[in-house]
Amino acid sequence: MKVLSMLLAGLTVGYSISVMALREPLLYNDFGFGASAILDGVAVLAVAAAVSAVMLARSGGRAGFWIAVAALLVIVFESLGMASGLLGDWAAAVSAGVLLGASAILTAAHRGARAALAIGILAAAGVGAALGTLLTTSDGPQFAWVVAGPEDAVVPERAAIAVALAVLAAIFLVAGYRRSSVAASQTSSRLLAVGIALPLVAGGFGWWATEYRDSSLVWFLALAGLTVSALVAAWLLPQRDGSLILVLFASWAAGLGSLDVVDRSYPSLGFTVLLLAAGGLIAYRFPQIYLGLLALLALAAANFAQIYLGALPFSLAQWVVPVVAGYVVVSALPTAPSSLAIGMTVPFTMVLTITIYGGSYGPLGSGADFFGGSQPTEIALSIGGLVVLSVCAAGVWVVRRR
């Protein structure tokens, strides 16, 4: 029950990231520079997850179960359009973040529940938007409610999935945790500071790259800033917990986050999720974090080689990356549940890290917004990805041996 409840909770958080417009700005800077977004929903989600996880850990998680269920109810209301406009955007971001923080604490020392939560978030965040697009463009079933007006952004098919996931997650959380208690854990103010500062710093670099969208140099300087931020955050987290930040940063650099635009078909999306889960299941039984990082580096080198040797099989990115990413992420799961809540938001707040396969994909190469407006060359992207992966691998080695 606990593993299934965490899988559903993770799917709910990941799907919220995909479809609830959490990339939309929630705060603007309009001091002579136009309406530039300086805070989006994903950053709010990350901060809410860090704050709720640390506070619940200090209190022993006594209210964690009820807080998670309440957050699920807010997600249901927002999905049905009961909170529209900016209020709804803030409600979606905060509720998804609180759900992540409370769920991470509820996993306690249950490694299977942690793995299910992590894989659920990555899977739903990776394919949720593409699934919603497939549903809205197909001739599938029609749902009962109708969009009332132009101010209501509810898409019935997408809302149906969000509501179903949230309701099922709430039911299984009740079944799995109604008699469970979580022991209070020692969490430092440093951990809370990292959880709040990291997404805000990442958002600042993303804003910088967007504002100066005509400069590839700015894009790569922002990428360097994100890499340094990830290294510092990983070092400041306790024990080996910082490894998850670097591993997720590296996995997104390997192209995991770009898979939702590769092939928008039901079999492709389903198989991608199964491969991600398969990699996590293998790591659950045989965790070897350095083997996973070596595989990511091999993928990066292979992609760089295709620039000179010709195109490699398309399946290399589409099928191999999810397996390796699932494997390395589960291998790096932290010992502190609050660190899990902080680490799982990294790939969604540090979005400039999709560098290895981005340069060779048609849909990505033509999308200025995806690269913060810049257009780095394919060779530059591949080299940048190799550098990011190498630095992250070295950082993992240092963090796990201190």
Side-chain angles (χ1 to χ4, degrees):
M1 284 292 184
K2 291 183 177 180
V3 172
L4 184 56
S5 67
M6 284 301 127
L7 177 62
L8 290 165
L11 289 172
T12 303
V13 173
Y15 193 72
S16 298
I17 292 172
S18 289
V19 305
M20 282 188 175
L22 296 185
R23 293 294 181 194
E24 296 298 321
L26 300 183
L27 190 64
Y28 289 95
N29 167 27
D30 198 15
F31 300 104
F33 299 100
S36 303
I38 59 175
L39 186 68
D40 60 18
V42 179
V44 172
L45 183 154
V47 172
V51 173
S52 58
V54 171
M55 295 299 103
L56 286 171
R58 288 179 174 177
S59 66
R62 289 186 296 272
F65 159 70
W66 297 108
I67 289 176
V69 172
L72 286 166
L73 291 177
V74 175
I75 290 174
V76 169
F77 293 147
E78 198 281 335
S79 300
L80 295 176
M82 296 181 182
S84 59
L86 193 60
L87 175 62
D89 293 340
W90 275 92
V94 173
S95 59
V98 170
L99 174 61
L100 172 56
S103 299
I105 296 303
L106 289 174
T107 61
H110 198 301
R111 193 163 179 269
R114 291 181 185 176
L117 179 64
I119 293 299
I121 292 173
L122 295 179
V127 305
L131 177 60
T133 301
L134 281 173
L135 287 171
T136 54
T137 56
S138 68
D139 296 324
Q142 299 298 313
F143 297 95
W145 64 87
V146 179
V147 176
E151 75 283 356
D152 191 347
V154 172
V155 178
E157 293 83 357
R158 291 184 178 183
I161 297 177
V163 171
L165 287 175
V167 170
L168 287 173
I171 291 173
F172 281 96
L173 277 171
V174 171
Y177 287 94
R178 65 184 185 276
R179 294 191 181 93
S180 296
S181 60
V182 180
S185 61
Q186 295 294 327
T187 56
S188 65
S189 299
R190 177 190 298 180
L191 193 147
L192 181 61
V194 169
I196 294 175
L198 185 59
L200 297 180
V201 170
F205 281 117
W207 171 84
W208 184 42
T210 303
E211 284 297 293
Y212 299 92
R213 61 187 61 195
D214 295 329
S215 172
S216 294
L217 175 61
V218 169
W219 194 90
F220 281 109
L221 287 175
L223 178 60
L226 289 175
T227 306
V228 172
S229 301
L231 290 170
V232 172
W235 179 259
L236 292 176
L237 289 186
Q239 299 178 358
R240 298 180 173 185
D241 293 355
S243 299
L244 185 63
I245 290 178
L246 297 177
V247 161
L248 280 166
F249 192 77
S251 297
W252 239 242
L256 180 64
S258 62
L259 294 178
D260 62 334
V261 297
V262 172
D263 185 358
R264 293 181 183 273
S265 65
Y266 291 115
S268 175
L269 294 180
F271 197 42
T272 299
V273 172
L274 288 177
L275 290 173
L276 187 65
L281 184 61
I282 295 171
Y284 183 77
R285 298 297 302 272
F286 308 102
Q288 296 292 332
I289 188 172
Y290 298 112
L291 180 62
L293 289 171
L294 181 62
L296 288 178
L297 283 167
L299 289 173
N303 182 76
F304 183 72
Q306 77 170 330
I307 299 174
Y308 303 99
L309 302 178
L312 296 174
F314 190 65
S315 59
L316 181 69
Q318 194 171 9
W319 307 132
V320 179
V321 171
V323 176
V324 177
Y327 180 87
V328 72
V329 167
V330 174
S331 296
L333 286 177
T335 57
S338 46
S339 296
L340 175 62
I342 292 172
M344 285 310 303
T345 62
V346 164
F348 315 115
T349 56
M350 308 178 88
V351 293
L352 295 182
T353 57
I354 307 172
T355 57
I356 293 178
Y357 288 100
S360 59
Y361 285 172
L364 302 188
S366 60
D369 290 340
F370 186 84
F371 290 120
S374 303
Q375 295 292 335
T377 65
E378 181 180 352
I379 294 178
L381 286 169
S382 298
I383 293 175
L386 275 168
V387 172
V388 168
L389 282 178
S390 301
V391 171
C392 287
V396 169
W397 186 86
V398 172
V399 166
R400 294 175 74 88
R401 275 165 173 70
R402 58 177 176 174

